[in-house]
Structures are given as C-alpha cells and as structure tokens.
Amino acid sequence: MGSDIEAAFEDGPALVPYVVAGDPDLDATKEYVEALARGGADVIELGLPFSEPIADGPTIQNAIRRALDAGTTPRNYLEFVAELDVDVPIVCMTYYNLIYQFGEEEGVEPFVEAGAEAGLSGLIVPDLPVEESDPLREACDEHGLDLVFIVAPTTTDERLDRITSQASGFVYVQARLGTTGAQADVSEATHESLARLADSTVPKAVGFGVSEREHAREIVGAGADGVVAGSVFVDIIAEGESVADRLEAKARELKAGALEGTDQKVPEPERT
Amino acid sequence: MSRTGDSKFGDYGGQYVPEVLMPAIEELTDAYVRYVLDNEDGFMDEFRERLRDFGGRPTPLQRADALSDRYDREVYLKREDLVHGGAHKLNNALGQVLLAKYMGKERIVAETGAGQHGTATAMACAHLGIDCEIYMGRTDINRQRPNVFRMRIHDAEVNPVDVGSGTLKEAINETMRDWATNVEDTHYVIGSVVGPHPFPKMVRDFQAVISEEAREQIREKAGRLPDSVVACAGGGSNTMGAFHEFVGDEDVSLVAVEAGGSGLTIDEDAGLAPHSASLSSGEEGVLHGARTKLLQNRDGQILESHSVSAGLDYSGVGPELAYLADEGRVTPANVGDDAALEAFHRLSKLEGIIPALESSHALAYLEKVADDGASTGDAPSATSEVAEDLGDLVIVNVSGRGDKDLDTVIEESEKRDIDAAPAMEVFENGQ
Ligand SMILES: Cc1ncc(COP(=O)(O)O)c(C=O)c1O
C-alpha cells in the first residue's frame, strides 16, 4: 500500500491515459505527456513499443510501428522517462520479451532496476499472466515498482482471487473481449467484472474501448476507481493536427465524465 | 494439475498470453489431459480411425534406391507427402478440430504460412462440419496461391494479413487477436509445436504418429533402428513428430534442418534475418506464448525471417526442440535456399517424388553431409562447419509434397540459375 500509483487514486476517480512513447518521436511524446497531465491525467501509461503487440488492436499496432520506425528502444525510452518533468506517476506498458532481454544476460532484474532509477512507478505486461509472473513481481517488490495485472471478462473466480492477491497499484479491468481499440459503448462485461471485484482493496481502473465522456461516467458510476483510455488518444496523435491541445481537451472531457460518475454513485449506488 | 501441470521443457515453454485467453488455455489443458492422454469417450480411438480412413495413414516408409546409391548408405523416406492434403499437417489439424468438437466449440481459427496447415485445417473442418477462418500473410498468399484456393474450396474464410513482412509471424499475431475476441466459442488450431502450453505437447502428440509408424516400419524393413532421423524445422511439428518415439533411443541421432536462407548474418538495423535458423542461431526469448529460441535484435525486437519456403519462414521454433537442442539430444543444422532448390529438383528427378520446399531442406542436408559441409549454395552453418555423420541407415521425413511450390520453384530456379532445374525456354509463350 501507499505507492504513488495508489495515492493517485485516492482523491476521486483517476484518469489513466495511454500513449506510445516515440509516436511519432520522443520529442513529440514529451509534449503529449505534458498536455495529458494538464488535462487532468492522474497516472500515465507510457507504451514501450514491441514488434509483436498481440494484445493490441490496429490503432495501437500502427502507433507502435511508427514508434519503432522512429528508433524508439528500451534504452532511449528509459532515458526519456528519467528526463520527464511531470507530476504524474508513469507506468510502463510493454511486452515481456523487452523486459527479459534488457540486461547483458537474460532476466527481468536489470530492466526493473533501470526502470526504478529512471522514475517509473509501475509496469503493465499484457502477455504475462500471474502464472509466469513470479520473477518479475519479486524484482518489482525489491525496487518498489507496482506490477499491474489485467482482469478479463473471461477471468474465472478462481483466477480472480489469484490475480487480486498479487496485484498492486491498480487492477486493470479489461472491459471487453478482444484487443485494445475505441468502442461505441460500455459493455455488460464491465459491470459484471466490477461487481465481482467490489471487495478488492487495490483500486480498479477500466479500459479497452473507453473514448467518450459518457463511457467514463458510466464506468465510474458502476463502481470503478478509474478509467484507462488509449486508442482515443492514439487516434488524435495519428491525425496529427493540434495534437497537444486536442489531447488536453480529450483528457479534460474524460476526467469530467469520471467525476460525474462519482456524483452518480452516491444517490444511486444500486443500479439496476 | 496432474501429468501436464508442467508447462515447461527445462526453462522453455510456459504460457505467456493475455489474461483474456488464460481460461481457454486452462480449459484446453484439461481437455488435452482427458481426451488425448486418458482417451476419455474414446477420443484417441476415433482420432486414429479418422487418421486412417480419412487421412490415409499409415504412410509408407520407402527405401530411396537412387539416393541410397548416391550417398552410399541406406536412405529411407517417410512419406508424409502422401497424407491426405499433401503434408503432415493433417495429423495435427484433424486431432485439434476433433478435440474442439469434443469440447463443444463452434468455430475454428488458424494461421497458416505455406498454406498447408490452413488447407489441412479447412479440410478437417469440412470433414467434421465446423466453421473455419484462416489468417495468412499477404506475402504467403502471393507465393502459395493454389493453397489459398484449396482453403476456399473447403469453404474456409481466408483473411489476408498485411502487417510487417506478411508471413507466418504476423498471421499468428492476427489469429491470437481473433481468438482473444471470440474465445468463448472458438478454438485456435495452432499449426506447429509452438505457442503456449498445452499446444507444444499436444501438437507433438498428434504428430508422434509419424515416428510411431517409422520406428516399427524400419525394424520390419531393415531389422534395426536407424542411425539417424533427419527432418526440416520451421516451428518443428514434423520434426518433433518424426523424432518423438526415437528420443529415448540414445544411439539414434536426430537432426533438425532449418532454413539457412541466403546466409546466417543479421541486419539489425533493418530488423531482418536473411534466414529462419532460430534453433541454430537464435537467442532465448518470449514470443507467441512461449519461451523459446528466437531471431531477435539486442533489444528483444523480433526480426523478420526469410526462407524460400513459406513453411519454414518463422522467427521462432518449438520450445521442446530448443530444449532438446540445448541438451545435445537434437543437432540443429541448416541449409540455404539454393541447396534446397537443388534438392527439390534432385528428388523429383531421381526418385519421382516432388517434395515440398520445406522437406527439400531435410533432403539437402544429405547432400551437405556427402560434400562434407562444403557444397555450393549452402549457408555457412552456425553450429558446425562440417556436417554430422548420419551413419549407414537414415530416415528422412518428407513432410509434404511440392505441388503447392511449383510457381515459386519455376521463378526462383530461373532467377538463381539452379543447375538441376529443367530448361523451359522452348516451351514459353504458350506455343
Ligand atoms: C510440407 C511442410 N513441411 C514442413 C513445414 C514446417 O512446419 P513444421 O516445422 O512445424 O513441421 C510446413 C509448414 O507449413 C510444411 O507445409
């Protein structure tokens, strides 16, 4: 308890935006991260691009391709994080192989150590289920990083217990089956997952498909402590016009939706 | 969970997949134990019967007379090219599609490289009456057109994948995404001994019929076990199938021949390996659900592989093979594109068998041994400059037939000036 990520969830619903570092280049990412922070981001997920993003949909896949083409590597990513000057915890979202290959010899420890030194607050590794996570969790514990786990609509109760007993920072509630990508509505699965996680002491943030104020309001209204949104921001970056301003405005919009959701929660806790 | 609770081969293997898939993988592991290992509801009996009556098994183990003369040793060919559909791929596809039916799944997805696995899966789905959707890289669609048509004939959807180099790696990524979206009613029929546990073990068990038959057949025909078994390795399903029953026979050497492409050097900046020799020259890492040997750069980004044969063009290899290679039980080797093309023409001419370009790599290795590793057109081997002595009695697994490769072979033989290729100029322009 008491990590800076969990602290970020303490004063009302948190907004957790995601962008890919190096899309279209690291200088731009600096500007975008600052814009998101101005717009009210409480935690920022910064993607470290991997060539085989199996958990991501087309929007983020393309962003990862742009970032790799721009020469983004684990090393210049961590240098970038070390130089960032925003007052928001940064979580690195990446795939296992990049973490595993970072040091002179294979193993997760060197990346976690370098990440902690650079100022990362946590890691999200979408291709690492709890079954394979012991080495990484031990390294994270040692260096004071949170390891965020994902709960999916398919996750059984037995797995849910396994996951919540290991999670720290927040639990990432995957709103729907499939991969990342903006969607038009909030799925029934989200409500069910949140109900099943009602007793969890670790904050719960819902992502996969969140793109509008209305979604954020509904998610928080349904009991989430935060909202994760990625593809909607990545789309703005891909469009390439007045990006920083539009990112800031979108963050503001989602944050406002989340706050409305809190208000909704009080008078009507038992939604039907 | 009982005997297969161990998802690893040494440090290799495991289950590195998104959480959304984990329950399906647990369900599959459970089904694998019950139906495949314990033969619940007579699953394995039905599988064997269908392999026989629909699949055309057992396949012959044929003495190759001309090759035996040429190499001055007894050479036997395990004729997986004669399996229904033209490749060993049906052994696994039929097993998995049948298993999916036992599990009550309604839809099948699969990736394909050369199109042989896609074809086998489409065929098994038509046979068993279940919906089928196949993902195939654009590059592979262009070089394996007959197989695309065959999949369509069996009423499978074929979805082109345009990302990256448009080969097998990208097709696997896309199939995993489909599976993650439709996991509740869909089974992913993975095409080789790769992917998360239980796939590497399960696919191996379905393919093990190759070595079960071969072991019995060689005893009957030669009165003893072979000195060596040679098979090509992309992911390594025909390899593990051909090796499995011999792994305990310490005196039988097992050689996995990879695609040496146009050489074993790597262009890190371009993210390209001009070969697919992950067993010979890859580094340990995690891809497509398993820890195994991979072609990757220093950062861990996966490299695009290359081979003239679509079915070997993959940046990874099965975790069990990686383990057996580390243990010294399997010898990794590789031959280049040109040597494989030569071998394609050689077998066609000398034995009247048109081998798949994949299988041609295994056949090319015989020539490499005969030339003591100095044959032209070979990529330099990363592991040994001089090829392994194969002994007096060799089984080569002919994993598939080469009809699907004719377009590629015509084009590439001309481009590369392959000696053994027949001259076709006089027949050109359709006169
Ligand atoms: C005829 C044939 N042989 C071999 C392979 C390589 O696959 P594996 O190494 O998994 O047997 C393929 C793959 O498509 C194939 O079609």
Side-chain angles (χ1 to χ4, degrees):
Chain A
M1 272 307 280
S3 74
D4 49 358
I5 296 177
E6 288 182 29
F9 281 83
E10 266 162 24
D11 308 322
L15 174 65
V16 186
Y18 165 95
V19 291
V20 178
D23 168 28
D25 57 55
L26 285 170
D27 287 341
T29 304
K30 180 164 185 292
E31 209 188 315
Y32 301 162
V33 166
E34 288 165 359
L36 292 167
R38 280 197 303 277
D42 299 284
V43 174
I44 292 175
E45 271 182 36
L46 198 53
L48 164 58
F50 176 50
S51 57
E52 318 300 317
I54 55 168
D56 287 298
T59 303
I60 291 175
Q61 272 182 65
N62 289 331
I64 284 174
R65 181 45 44 212
R66 291 192 293 271
L68 287 173
D69 288 345
T72 314
T73 67
R75 281 177 205 282
N76 61 30
Y77 173 96
L78 289 179
E79 282 162 23
F80 172 80
V81 170
E83 283 165 20
L84 263 184
D85 187 21
V86 289
D87 196 18
V88 176
I90 304 289
V91 176
C92 171
M93 171 113 161
T94 195
Y95 290 79
Y96 193 66
N97 201 48
L98 294 193
I99 294 175
Y100 188 66
Q101 296 299 333
F102 186 77
E104 287 299 310
E105 286 176 15
E106 284 129 1
V108 296
E109 163 83 21
F111 183 87
V112 177
E113 187 179 355
E117 246 166 58
L120 284 178
S121 297
L123 298 176
I124 304 178
V125 190
D127 61 343
L128 189 72
V130 279
E131 281 73 5
E132 305 287 355
S133 69
D134 282 354
L136 188 60
R137 198 172 34 74
E138 281 159 24
C140 283
D141 286 349
E142 190 184 323
H143 294 282
L145 291 195
D146 284 328
L147 184 55
V148 173
F149 285 98
I150 296 172
V151 164
T154 47
T155 301
T156 56
D157 288 341
E158 191 198 343
R159 296 191 58 76
L160 198 73
D161 290 342
R162 248 183 274 169
I163 293 167
T164 49
S165 71
Q166 307 238 4
S168 60
F170 64 93
V171 174
Y172 189 142
V173 179
Q174 179 178 331
R176 62 191 70 248
L177 297 181
T179 53
T180 56
Q183 298 279 341
D185 59 7
V186 174
S187 76
E188 200 45 47
T190 305
H191 294 269
E192 285 169 22
S193 295
L194 286 172
R196 291 200 296 151
L197 279 162
D199 296 338
S200 161
T201 54
V202 183
K204 306 168 285 284
V206 174
F208 274 48
V210 178
S211 62
E212 287 169 25
R213 182 182 191 125
E214 191 53 30
H215 302 159
R217 186 174 59 172
E218 189 177 342
I219 284 166
V220 173
D225 305 296
V227 175
V228 184
S231 293
V232 66
F233 293 112
V234 172
D235 272 334
I236 291 172
I237 293 172
E239 284 160 23
E241 274 170 48
S242 341
V243 175
D245 288 347
R246 289 172 63 208
L247 290 176
E248 183 180 338
K250 190 46 120 175
R252 240 179 251 297
E253 174 199 324
L254 294 178
K255 179 83 183 187
L259 286 166
E260 285 162 18
T262 328
D263 298 342
Q264 217 174 46
K265 229 178 352 186
V266 183
E268 205 188 347
E270 306 267 319
R271 291 167 55 95
T272 49
Chain B
M1 189 179 291
S2 76
R3 285 159 295 166
T4 64
D6 189 5
S7 68
K8 305 260 160 85
F9 306 95
D11 286 337
Y12 296 110
Q15 299 174 311
Y16 296 86
V17 294
E19 170 61 25
V20 69
L21 292 176
M22 280 304 291
I25 281 175
E26 287 184 337
E27 185 190 342
L28 182 63
T29 306
D30 184 52
Y32 166 56
V33 172
R34 285 166 48 203
Y35 296 122
V36 180
L37 299 183
D38 295 343
N39 192 29
E40 195 173 303
D41 298 342
F43 172 85
M44 283 306 280
D45 302 327
E46 181 174 350
F47 170 55
R48 300 267 161 168
E49 187 183 327
R50 287 182 190 274
L51 263 188
R52 200 170 60 232
D53 296 349
F54 176 70
R57 300 209 71 94
T59 60
L61 181 73
Q62 180 205 344
R63 184 177 187 279
D65 296 337
L67 290 190
S68 297
D69 281 353
R70 182 180 178 93
Y71 299 125
D72 199 21
R73 64 186 94 221
E74 296 289 307
V75 178
Y76 282 84
L77 304 177
K78 182 60 176 164
R79 298 287 310 276
E80 291 300 294
D81 58 310
L82 294 178
V83 179
H84 181 43
H88 71 291
K89 296 284 177 185
L90 183 74
N91 303 330
N92 166 51
L94 188 62
Q96 283 199 55
V97 174
L98 188 63
L99 188 68
K101 288 211 73 161
Y102 272 59
M103 292 170 71
K105 300 288 175 186
E106 286 161 16
R107 174 174 177 268
I108 294 294
V109 290
E111 89 293 344
T112 198
Q116 287 302 96
H117 173 59
T119 302
T121 305
M123 200 175 264
C125 286
H127 172 64
L128 292 164
I130 184 166
D131 287 347
C132 180
E133 219 163 304
I134 308 284
Y135 291 86
M136 187 169 186
R138 185 71 75 177
T139 308
D140 289 338
I141 286 183
N142 291 334
R143 58 179 166 175
Q144 304 281 333
R145 287 193 67 76
N147 272 342
V148 177
F149 192 61
R150 289 167 76 200
M151 289 180 257
R152 299 288 296 124
I153 287 173
H154 293 302
D155 209 23
E157 285 301 323
V158 178
N159 303 315
V161 180
D162 286 311
V163 199
S165 65
T167 57
L168 185 55
K169 167 166 83 64
E170 287 77 22
I172 293 180
N173 291 342
E174 213 47 50
T175 317
M176 287 212 165
R177 293 188 183 106
D178 182 310
W179 195 28
T181 308
N182 301 293
V183 61
E184 286 171 322
D185 65 357
T186 299
H187 175 67
Y188 176 8
V189 178
I190 209 162
S192 192
V193 285
V194 299
H197 173 74
F199 283 107
K201 283 186 177 164
M202 182 171 72
V203 176
R204 174 203 70 200
D205 290 350
F206 289 142
Q207 292 291 359
V209 64
I210 301 172
S211 48
E212 277 162 31
E213 289 174 5
R215 202 166 183 282
E216 236 179 79
Q217 289 165 325
I218 195 79
R219 282 196 145 145
E220 239 164 63
K221 298 200 171 202
R224 67 172 178 104
L225 293 181
D227 295 314
S228 52
V229 181
V230 181
C232 68
S237 68
N238 87 91
T239 331
M240 278 316 305
F243 290 175
H244 185 63
E245 295 296 315
F246 294 109
V247 168
D249 302 317
E250 297 286 336
D251 293 340
V252 180
S253 73
L254 306 172
V255 183
V257 186
E258 298 188 287
S262 52
L264 284 197
T265 48
I266 276 175
D267 183 347
E268 282 228 5
D269 291 335
L272 268 173
H275 62 89
S276 311
S278 38
L279 201 57
S280 311
S281 69
E283 300 281 340
E284 189 182 333
V286 171
L287 177 67
H288 295 145
R291 179 178 303 201
T292 187
K293 284 188 193 277
L294 305 173
L295 300 177
Q296 56 186 323
N297 71 12
R298 242 169 276 121
D299 290 336
Q301 305 293 0
I302 308 304
L303 301 171
E304 305 287 357
S305 55
H306 160 81
S307 170
V308 69
S309 88
L312 301 183
D313 198 347
Y314 179 53
S315 318
V317 66
E320 186 171 15
L321 267 177
Y323 170 72
L324 291 173
D326 276 6
E327 294 285 296
R329 183 66 192 94
V330 165
T331 306
N334 60 84
V335 301
D337 287 342
D338 289 4
L341 283 161
E342 296 276 0
F344 174 96
H345 292 296
R346 193 179 307 118
L347 196 74
S348 302
K349 209 175 283 181
L350 294 183
E351 297 285 357
I353 299 167
I354 303 176
L357 270 178
E358 290 80 10
S359 320
S360 301
H361 284 74
L363 293 156
Y365 188 70
L366 295 176
E367 190 78 5
K368 181 170 179 156
V369 174
D371 291 356
D372 224 5
S375 96
T376 51
D378 272 0
S381 162
T383 45
S384 59
E385 278 307 316
V386 176
E388 174 109 332
D389 182 17
L390 294 172
D392 298 327
L393 183 55
V394 184
I395 296 177
V396 182
N397 193 40
V398 182
S399 56
R401 67 170 191 232
D403 309 48
K404 69 185 173 66
D405 296 314
L406 292 181
D407 283 350
T408 306
V409 171
I410 292 169
E411 194 180 310
E412 296 286 336
S413 300
E414 214 156 86
K415 205 163 74 188
R416 296 157 189 266
D417 231 349
I418 297 298
D419 281 350
M424 291 293 288
E425 296 86 24
V426 286
F427 307 108
E428 258 150 37
N429 300 323
Q431 296 305 307

